[in-house]
Amino acid sequence: MIIWTLSFLCLFFAVPHFSPLTQKLKEHFFQSHTLEELKISIAHLRLLKECLESGLVPDREDWARTEKLPAPWGVLFHSSLSELRNQGAPILPSLERMILSLEEERELMLEAKTKSSQAFGQVLISVLMVPFFGFILYFLLPGLAEYQGLFLSLVCFCLLLGMMAFYWMLTMMEHARYGRVSRSHRTWILASKVFFERMIADISGGHPPDLAWSKSMEFMHQQEPELLQQWGAQIWEKFPLRSLSKNAVEESIVQFGVEIRRSIQQSLTEGRGSLDRLDSIYRNYLFDLKMKISRELQVLPNACLKPLFILVLPSVMLLLFGSLAISFGMSIQ
C-alpha cells in the first residue's frame, strides 16, 4: 500500500514536467487550426491590398481586424499599419511584405507536416502496437496470467521506449522546422522580420535610414540583445566579426543585419534612396532562409527512421522474447 501511494505521489508531482511533450503534441495535432488561421489572415490582408489598389478606403473595422491576427503577427502588423496611416506614408509595400511573411510561414508549416507525416504515422502505429501486441501475448502464451506484475512491468518498459521514440521524433520535426537553430535563438527569425518591418515603416514615414535603424534597435535591445551585438547597434560603428555559429540559418540572420547596415551606409554616402535596395535584401534573405530550412525538411523523413530502428524495433523484440522467457521459464519450473 505504501509503495502504491508513493508511486501515485511521484506521478502527481511529475505531471507538470511533461509540459514540453504536451506542448509538442499540441503544436503537431493543432497545426491544421494554425494553418487555417494563417490562411484567413492572408485573405484579410489581400482584401486590404485590393481595396487600396482599387482606390477605395477600407473601413475602420477592417483595419482593426488586423490586430486579431494570430500572435505575434497581429499586434505587429496593426501597430505598423497604424503608424504608417498616421504619417501618411504608403501602405501597399508594407502589406505586400506582411502577406509574403505569412505565406512563407504557412508554406514551411505545410512542408514540415508533409515531410514528417509518413514517419509520424509509423512511430505512432509502432507505439500503439506495443500494448496491442502485449494483449495478444497475454492470452496466447501460458503462464503470463500467473505473473501479471512482471509482465505488466515489461509492457510498461517497452511502452516507455516507444514514447521516447515518439518524443524524439517530435523534437526532430521541431528542429527541422526551424532549420536546426538552437532553442534560445529561434526567436531570431521572427525578430529579424519584426525589426525590418518597423524600420521600413519609419523610413516610409519620412525618417532618415540611420535614425530609423537606431529607433528600431530599441526593439532589438529589449527583445534580442544577443542578436543586437551580432548586428551592431549603430550604423557607423565597426562591423562585427563574422559569426562563429555553425548553423546556416543563424549565419543568414546575422548576415542579413550586416547587409542592411552596409546598404544604409552606402545609401547615405551616395545620397540615394534606400527603400528599393532594402526591400531587395529582405526578399533575398527570405528566399535564402526558406531554402536552408527546406533542405533540413527534405532529409527529415530519413532522419525520422532513427527512432524506429533504435527504440521502437528493440521494444517490440524485447516484449516478444521477454514474454517467451517468462512463459517458458515458468513452465519449466
Side-chain angles (χ1 to χ4, degrees):
M1 183 66 183
I2 298 177
I3 296 177
W4 281 106
T5 303
L6 292 176
S7 300
F8 280 110
L9 286 175
C10 293
L11 178 62
F12 176 77
F13 288 108
V15 167
H17 298 283
F18 294 156
S19 57
L21 176 60
T22 57
Q23 182 65 24
K24 287 182 173 60
L25 290 174
K26 182 179 178 181
E27 291 177 356
H28 181 82
F29 287 107
F30 288 91
Q31 273 187 354
S32 300
H33 178 68
T34 305
L35 290 171
E36 186 64 23
E37 287 185 340
L38 289 176
K39 182 179 179 180
I40 296 174
S41 302
I42 294 172
H44 178 66
L45 293 179
R46 288 190 181 278
L47 176 63
L48 294 177
K49 178 185 174 184
E50 291 173 359
C51 288
L52 293 174
E53 288 177 340
S54 60
L56 301 176
V57 179
D59 296 334
R60 182 177 300 179
E61 291 78 9
D62 293 333
W63 293 114
R65 279 185 58 190
T66 56
E67 192 174 7
K68 299 179 181 179
L69 298 182
W73 307 103
V75 177
L76 165 66
F77 291 170
H78 182 72
S79 61
S80 298
L81 292 175
S82 299
E83 186 173 356
L84 290 173
R85 290 175 61 202
N86 293 334
Q87 295 174 353
I91 298 177
L92 282 175
S94 295
L95 278 175
E96 291 178 355
R97 285 189 297 271
M98 293 174 184
I99 293 172
L100 180 63
S101 297
L102 291 180
E103 287 178 343
E104 292 284 343
E105 185 76 11
R106 190 169 185 272
E107 288 179 6
L108 289 176
M109 290 185 65
L110 281 172
E111 188 173 0
K113 184 177 181 180
T114 302
K115 296 292 185 182
S116 60
S117 59
Q118 181 179 359
F120 181 83
Q122 291 174 349
V123 173
L124 183 60
I125 292 175
S126 300
V127 171
L128 296 177
M129 187 175 65
V130 171
F132 179 74
F133 189 42
F135 179 78
I136 294 177
L137 292 175
Y138 181 80
F139 288 98
L140 290 181
L141 296 178
L144 294 182
E146 300 177 3
Y147 297 90
Q148 293 182 359
L150 181 60
F151 178 71
L152 289 177
S153 299
L154 178 63
V155 173
C156 291
F157 179 74
C158 295
L159 186 61
L160 177 62
L161 292 178
M163 293 302 297
M164 290 173 60
F166 189 70
Y167 179 79
W168 185 6
M169 196 209 65
L170 290 177
T171 303
M172 293 172 64
M173 291 170 55
E174 183 183 5
H175 289 171
R177 167 68 182 80
Y178 292 97
R180 296 191 178 275
V181 176
S182 59
R183 186 177 297 273
S184 60
H185 294 165
R186 286 178 185 173
T187 53
W188 283 13
I189 299 175
L190 179 60
S192 63
K193 297 178 181 180
V194 173
F195 165 82
F196 183 81
E197 186 56 45
R198 293 173 67 95
M199 184 185 67
I200 289 298
D202 288 335
I203 295 177
S204 301
H207 293 88
D210 53 345
L211 181 60
W213 170 277
S214 301
K215 187 178 179 181
S216 300
M217 273 297 163
E218 297 176 2
F219 162 79
M220 296 297 293
H221 179 72
Q222 297 175 356
Q223 302 295 328
E224 301 293 342
E226 188 175 352
L227 183 58
L228 181 143
Q229 295 178 359
Q230 296 280 351
W231 284 3
Q234 301 297 326
I235 285 292
W236 299 106
E237 73 178 41
K238 183 179 179 181
F239 284 101
L241 297 176
R242 184 177 179 84
S243 174
L244 300 178
S245 175
K246 297 181 180 179
N247 185 270
V249 176
E250 292 183 12
E251 181 68 23
S252 296
I253 298 172
V254 173
Q255 288 301 117
F256 170 67
V258 173
E259 289 296 326
I260 290 292
R261 278 185 57 197
R262 186 174 288 113
S263 177
I264 293 178
Q265 287 182 0
Q266 187 175 358
S267 298
L268 292 174
T269 303
E270 298 175 353
R272 298 181 180 179
S274 58
L275 278 177
D276 293 339
R277 188 179 299 174
L278 293 176
D279 187 69
S280 176
I281 293 175
Y282 181 67
R283 291 180 180 273
N284 291 334
Y285 163 68
L286 290 181
F287 180 77
D288 182 59
L289 204 64
K290 180 181 178 181
M291 289 298 101
K292 290 180 178 179
I293 294 178
S294 297
R295 191 180 305 119
E296 296 294 336
L297 292 174
Q298 287 177 359
V299 301
L300 180 61
N302 294 332
C304 284
L305 295 177
K306 292 181 182 179
L308 288 175
F309 292 101
I310 296 178
L311 291 176
V312 176
L313 181 61
S315 68
V316 175
M317 293 293 100
L318 178 62
L319 178 60
L320 174 61
F321 291 109
S323 300
L324 291 174
I326 295 174
S327 177
F328 288 103
M330 300 310 169
S331 299
I332 294 176
Q333 293 180 359

